[in-house]
Amino acid sequence: MKVYRQYPEQNGNTAYAPTSGDRLARTAMYIACLSVFTMLLSPVLIPYIPAAIAITMAVISRGKSDKMSKRARAAFIIGLTAIVVSTAILAVMIVTLIDILHDPARLQEFNNLMYQMYGITLEEFLEQYGLHTFTGVI
Amino acid sequence: MNIYKNVSLLKADARESLLGNLGVSVPSVLLYMISVISLACMISTFQTTNPFFSLALTSLSFLVINIVSGLLEIGLDMEFLRFQYGKKARVGDLFTAFRFNSNTCVETQSVLGLMNLACMMPALIYSCFFTESSTARYIITFGILLGLGLCCVFFLHLVFALVPYLLLDFPQLTWKQVLRVGVKMMQGHKARLFRLYLSFIPLISLGMLSLGFANMWIDSYIHAAAAAFYKDRIANTRA
């Protein structure tokens, strides 16, 4: 019998009853883990959603106490790490793309690779959005 | 001597009241956000060839939207106020102002809506009468007028912040009395409420980063903090 899963009024035992804050901290922890998982799948924008929700839940789970519970603190740290890592990956991707666009040899190499993978070159892809390489737009 | 709680104590009260109640507050905030956003989308649809007609229609829709969203906000504030006093609430309580004390609520929200409209009027007039919307000068001028209007609306929100709670707590008061008492109760407390709102900037930035998804939890927290502010203010008011 899992006594710790029951409420105090059900078993008369208050020592192991999880409070609303504990339950919220546990949910925050799961969502923070989800943010790490989404970060591995797609580092662009998507991890921000569960990470922000996890951080907010972790903050709220504190209630009136001075410090967060261990789970809430872990959710907060994992969520924050997911945001920082996602931002870093996004920044590296943008810088690399700009570098490629300004280096004709690397651009040609990248065009060939992209054509093999998607059947369209990077220049053609950018032109669809009205952007041109070497014209100062990018 | 009155002892008011500081920002961190008010936020602690807000967090405590939300524990176990997020299952109600988050769907309520979501429903409120969907209603307000879908109503707000209607403003941009009035673009006729006659600028006067456009202005009249836009102003009328702005006022109606302000009144309806204000009524919904009263319901939302009621839920958070109930949480603050340790009571339960339902998602359906969002529509309380449509059922309970409706006349006073509509009258009060109409006056507040007219004040908001007056603040936004320069931006509305500019958008209806000056149509060369692609020029940089138009965008900058419109941005400045809109920014000033929003600042005035925020100031009005600070002045009348306690009005929705007073409508719920004192249904016997008329709209004039509610507004008068609301303004009086906020005298000397606007800076405190402003500091409370300012303390949410990191979480609001986080909400923006999540494309607004986290706002359901963040808005719950902000509304709970505002309810805690009212509870603290009313507890220190002499009868």
Side-chain angles (χ1 to χ4, degrees):
Chain A
M1 184 183 164
K2 291 180 178 176
V3 176
Y4 64 88
R5 283 196 184 280
Q6 293 186 337
Y7 292 98
E9 59 270 27
Q10 288 174 311
N11 60 11
N13 185 356
T14 52
Y16 296 103
T19 62
S20 304
D22 293 337
R23 287 198 293 270
L24 191 63
R26 193 170 55 200
T27 313
M29 182 74 190
Y30 292 148
I31 296 173
C33 293
L34 184 73
S35 73
V36 174
F37 184 67
T38 52
M39 192 180 71
L40 298 172
L41 290 178
S42 161
V44 183
L45 289 176
I46 296 171
Y48 289 128
I49 299 168
I53 293 170
I55 290 173
T56 312
M57 279 184 165
V59 169
I60 294 173
S61 74
R62 229 174 87 187
K64 271 189 174 177
S65 53
D66 295 334
K67 287 180 180 177
M68 284 185 199
S69 66
K70 278 182 183 175
R71 268 198 187 129
R73 207 178 310 142
F76 188 90
I77 291 166
I78 293 170
L80 203 64
T81 309
I83 287 176
V84 171
V85 173
S86 296
T87 308
I89 292 171
L90 198 64
V92 168
M93 280 166 73
I94 291 167
V95 169
T96 311
L97 186 68
I98 291 169
D99 275 355
I100 288 170
L101 291 172
H102 287 88
D103 185 347
R106 285 178 74 189
L107 181 63
Q108 187 57 44
E109 197 181 321
F110 192 79
N111 273 335
N112 293 338
L113 186 71
M114 205 166 152
Y115 189 77
Q116 281 172 15
M117 286 172 76
Y118 304 109
I120 187 171
T121 63
L122 179 66
E123 284 164 328
E124 286 168 351
F125 176 76
L126 291 174
E127 274 171 19
Q128 287 177 3
Y129 296 95
L131 299 168
H132 304 279
T133 51
F134 304 115
T135 56
V137 179
I138 292 182
Chain B
M1 190 186 149
N2 295 329
I3 300 164
Y4 293 104
K5 290 179 178 174
N6 61 20
V7 170
S8 52
L9 282 175
L10 288 174
K11 286 174 87 174
D13 279 352
R15 286 193 300 269
E16 188 68 23
S17 73
L18 282 176
L19 292 179
N21 291 315
L22 279 171
V24 175
S25 71
V26 170
S28 302
V29 169
L30 177 66
L31 197 59
Y32 171 76
M33 280 161 74
I34 291 170
S35 312
V36 172
I37 290 168
S38 37
L39 283 169
C41 289
M42 286 165 61
I43 291 181
S44 58
T45 54
F46 297 111
Q47 284 296 333
T48 61
T49 48
N50 186 345
F52 287 101
F53 191 55
S54 294
L55 182 65
L57 275 179
T58 311
S59 304
L60 190 68
S61 66
F62 184 90
L63 191 61
V64 171
I65 289 160
N66 249 280
I67 294 168
V68 176
S69 62
L71 292 176
L72 287 173
E73 195 164 351
I74 291 171
L76 199 63
D77 288 336
M78 183 197 166
E79 287 183 22
F80 289 100
L81 197 59
R82 286 183 72 86
F83 296 150
Q84 200 56 233
Y85 285 99
K87 292 178 181 172
K88 290 285 169 193
R90 297 176 298 117
V91 179
D93 290 337
L94 187 66
F95 305 101
T96 300
F98 294 91
R99 297 189 295 259
F100 165 78
N101 199 15
S102 311
N103 288 353
T104 317
C105 290
V106 171
E107 284 164 353
T108 313
Q109 289 305 327
S110 304
V111 175
L112 294 177
L114 280 171
M115 286 181 193
N116 287 343
L117 181 64
C119 294
M120 299 306 288
M121 201 44 107
L124 292 180
I125 291 172
Y126 193 77
S127 69
C128 288
F129 284 86
F130 298 89
T131 49
E132 68 280 13
S133 57
S134 57
T135 60
R137 194 181 153 196
Y138 172 87
I139 293 166
I140 292 167
T141 314
F142 182 69
I144 291 169
L145 288 174
L146 192 69
L148 286 172
L150 289 172
C151 285
C152 290
V153 168
F154 182 68
F155 181 73
L156 281 178
H157 176 74
L158 288 179
V159 173
F160 297 104
L162 302 182
V163 166
Y165 304 104
L166 290 170
L167 281 167
L168 296 163
D169 261 358
F170 304 98
Q172 73 278 12
L173 296 180
T174 63
W175 65 270
K176 281 181 188 172
Q177 289 169 322
V178 167
L179 291 177
R180 203 177 303 130
V181 173
V183 171
K184 202 175 171 187
M185 282 180 75
M186 279 307 289
Q187 277 173 1
H189 295 273
K190 286 187 277 292
R192 201 160 66 97
L193 184 61
F194 182 66
R195 277 200 302 276
L196 181 67
Y197 284 140
L198 218 57
S199 70
F200 284 105
I201 285 179
L203 277 181
I204 292 169
S205 316
L206 202 65
M208 284 158 73
L209 208 62
S210 73
L211 311 174
F213 283 94
N215 281 354
M216 285 178 272
W217 286 266
I218 296 164
D219 279 5
S220 296
Y221 191 11
I222 294 171
H223 274 94
F229 179 86
Y230 170 74
K231 189 185 168 190
D232 180 49
R233 183 68 192 86
I234 205 85
N236 284 290
T237 305
R238 289 188 194 94

